[in-house]
Structures are given as C-alpha cells and as structure tokens.
C-alpha cells in the first residue's frame, strides 16, 4: 500500500487539490490517516474512490446521491438492486429535463421566428413576449 500525498492524488485523478479537500469535508473521500509530520495520507483506493465520484458526477448524480451510492457499495447486501433503483430515478429525471429543454427550445425558436418576421424595429416580439406572463397578461 503506497502512501500518497494530496497533490499526487489530485494530479492523478485530474482534479484540483481543493476538490479533494472538499470531498473529504463532505465525507466522500477521507484520508487513510496522517503521516508523523501531519500530512494527509492517501492510497490507491483513494484514487479509485475519486474516479468513482468523478464518473458519477459526469452521469448527473449529486454529491448526496454519490455518498449514498458509496455507502451502498460498502455496506449493503442488496446493493445492485438499490443502485439500479437510483439509476432508474436518474433516468426519469433526465427524461423530464430533455422534455423541458425541448419545450424551451421550441419556445425560443418561435420567438426568434416572430422576430425575423417583424418589420418594425420599435416593437420587438421577443421583448414583448418576455414582458408577458404565461397567461398572456402583462
């Protein structure tokens, strides 16, 4: 088991040292201990854990959710089923976001189109639309 310092760990994973310290404060990545001179001591397991955190973040998991996944990984006999449930929940969230973003894109495209068709420069349909509430009232 190789002792690594925080800078080495951060460089290996590709994150700033402050990120490692933040994850440590959040309880996601505690050091293995301290050296006699007081430096935090990390191992290859820390690198694996930080890579897990980084990949989970890329998939849209929050740090709270990542903490739950790490806890399931270490302490649960039925971890796979529970992790699958968390992933299914995330898929539902992503699907709703895609739907909302698609609706937003269509609204913005409609606003841009109405602007292209507008000839009077004093009456901008986009600005007018932004001044209106959803029900059409000012």
């Amino acid at each position: 088991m190789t002792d690594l310092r925080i800078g080495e760990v951060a460089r290996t994973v590709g994150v700033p040292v402050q990120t490692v310290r933040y994850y440590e404060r959040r309880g996601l990545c505690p050091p293995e201990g301290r050296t006699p001179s007081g430096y935090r001591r990390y191992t290859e397991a820390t690198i694996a854990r930080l890579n897990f955190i980084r990949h989970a973040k890329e998939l849209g998991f929050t740090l709270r959710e990542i903490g739950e996944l790490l806890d399931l990984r270490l302490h649960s006999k039925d971890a796979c089923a529970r992790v699958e449930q968390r992933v299914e929940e995330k898929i539902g969230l992503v699907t709703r976001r895609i739907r909302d973003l698609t609706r937003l894109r269509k609204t913005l495209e409609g606003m841009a189109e109405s602007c292209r068709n507008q000839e009077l420069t004093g009456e901008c349909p986009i600005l007018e639309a932004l001044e209106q509430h959803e029900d059409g009232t000012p």
Side-chain angles (χ1 to χ4, degrees):
M1 177 161 38
T2 305
D3 282 349
L4 302 169
R5 291 176 65 182
I6 195 168
E8 296 169 306
V9 170
R11 272 190 303 280
T12 301
V13 178
V15 298
V17 168
Q18 294 85 351
T19 299
V20 179
R21 288 185 181 134
Y22 179 70
Y23 292 163
E24 180 183 336
R25 285 192 307 274
R26 294 284 307 255
L28 297 173
C29 190
E32 302 290 326
R34 294 211 179 244
T35 65
S37 57
Y39 290 106
R40 292 172 178 90
R41 184 173 60 85
Y42 298 97
T43 64
E44 296 293 325
T46 305
I47 292 172
R49 186 169 255 232
L50 286 168
N51 280 322
F52 179 95
I53 293 168
R54 188 170 48 87
H55 292 139
K57 281 184 57 70
E58 289 171 358
L59 292 173
F61 288 96
T62 65
L63 291 180
R64 181 188 57 77
E65 292 169 331
I66 292 168
E68 292 171 2
L69 292 173
L70 286 167
D71 191 52
L72 286 172
R73 186 173 188 218
L74 297 174
H75 302 110
S76 181
K77 292 179 183 175
D78 63 339
C80 194
R82 293 176 69 192
V83 169
E84 180 184 7
Q85 177 186 0
R86 299 291 198 297
V87 169
E88 290 294 336
E89 291 168 3
K90 188 58 67 177
I91 290 169
L93 177 65
V94 168
T95 300
R96 288 188 298 279
R97 284 183 183 166
I98 290 170
R99 184 187 63 234
D100 293 344
L101 288 171
T102 299
R103 187 172 49 241
L104 176 61
R105 185 190 72 230
K106 287 180 182 178
T107 299
L108 291 171
E109 287 171 346
M111 292 170 79
E113 181 64 30
S114 66
C115 190
R116 278 187 225 105
N117 295 334
Q118 182 68 30
E119 293 183 20
L120 299 174
T121 56
E123 298 176 10
C124 177
I126 293 176
L127 295 176
E128 287 180 16
L130 291 173
E131 291 173 353
Q132 302 294 316
H133 291 274
E134 284 188 30
D135 63 0
T137 61

